[in-house]
Each structure stands twice: as C-alpha cells, then as structure tokens.
C-alpha cells in the first residue's frame, strides 16, 4: 500500500502565500510523476501542476507564474508554493503520484485526501 499525506492548506487573504506539501510512503520502489490538482465547489477537478522525476514541469495556464512545484526525491515529497493567491484559487487541493510499487514493480496512481485552500478577506 501507498499513503499520501498532505499538509499546508488554510485560510489566507488575497495576495498571500501558502506552501502545500505531500509526502508519499509505503510500498514504493520509485516515483515517476507527481502533481497537484484542485477542485472548487461545483466544478470539475483540474490540473494545477505536474513534475516528473527528472524535473520536467507543466503548469496550468491559470497559474500565470504565481505557483512553483518542486519535489524532493529522497523524501518522496512534492511541494506547491503558491504566491499572489486570488479568491478564485479557493478549492480543495489534491496531490497525486505515479508510483512503481515495490515487490510487484507495477505502476499505479495514488491520490491524497485533499487539503482546503481558502482565499478570502
């Protein structure tokens, strides 16, 4: 089994910053892509950013240079630094990882439980 534990969400004023973390643990041989998605009330889940093991990064257009995704391969952890937050960034943020599982060496996608980010005065 693989577990993802997210942290770092909360309430912040417009223009503020938050840093999300997501640590993977369990039966992990290696981790390929890691990423963040978000889901606002009444909307579909959407991609925020992804990063490969080699460091190739993809951002959604709405990020507009405000967010930075990074990862620590030694810690099996992915981060999302969010700056210049806007009310429309309010959503539940989910991390996801593409794991090669130990023992079986099969690949599977895992999701975190989600962390609430609220941007409001």
């Amino acid at each position: 089994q693989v577990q993802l534990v997210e942290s770092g969400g909360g309430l912040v004023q417009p223009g503020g910053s938050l840093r999300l973390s997501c640590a993977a643990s369990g039966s992990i041989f290696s981790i390929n892509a890691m990423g963040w998605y978000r889901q606002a009330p009444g909307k579909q889940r959407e991609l925020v950013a992804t990063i490969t093991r080699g460091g190739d990064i993809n951002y959604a257009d709405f990020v507009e240079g405000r967010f930075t995704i990074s990862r620590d391969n030694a810690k099996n952890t992915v981060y999302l630094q969010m700056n210049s937050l806007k009310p429309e960034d309010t959503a539940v943020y989910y991390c996801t990882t593409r794991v090669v599982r130990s023992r079986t060496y099969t690949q599977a996608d895992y999701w975190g439980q989600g962390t609430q980010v609220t941007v409001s005065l």
Side-chain angles (χ1 to χ4, degrees), residues 22-35:
C22 174
S25 62
S27 302
I28 298 171
F29 175 74
S30 66
I31 298 179
N32 295 328
M34 306 183 83

Side-chain angles (χ1 to χ4, degrees), residues 11-110:
L11 173 64
V12 64
Q13 293 185 350
S17 298
L18 285 173
R19 188 188 194 215
L20 307 183
S21 300
C22 174
S25 62
S27 302
I28 298 171
F29 175 74
S30 66
I31 298 179
N32 295 328
M34 306 183 83
W36 292 93
Y37 284 69
R38 71 183 188 183
Q39 187 167 19
K43 295 187 176 181
Q44 290 188 336
R45 190 173 297 190
E46 62 181 353
L47 170 73
V48 178
T50 59
I51 181 169
T52 67
R53 184 172 183 83
D56 293 328
I57 291 172
N58 178 49
Y59 291 109
D61 289 343
F62 63 76
V63 168
E64 299 175 324
R66 300 179 297 127
F67 299 174
T68 302
I69 190 171
S70 61
R71 62 188 282 175
D72 185 331
N73 291 330
K75 295 181 179 180
N76 290 337
T77 299
V78 62
Y79 305 97
L80 185 68
Q81 176 67 43
M82 303 187 293
N83 300 326
S84 302
L85 283 161
K86 306 174 182 180
E88 51 264 44
D89 293 318
T90 296
V92 177
Y93 284 70
Y94 298 90
C95 73
T96 182
T97 64
R98 180 155 292 176
V99 172
V100 176
R101 292 176 287 197
S102 58
R103 289 192 289 275
T104 63
Y105 302 104
T106 54
Q107 185 170 266
D109 292 337
Y110 292 89

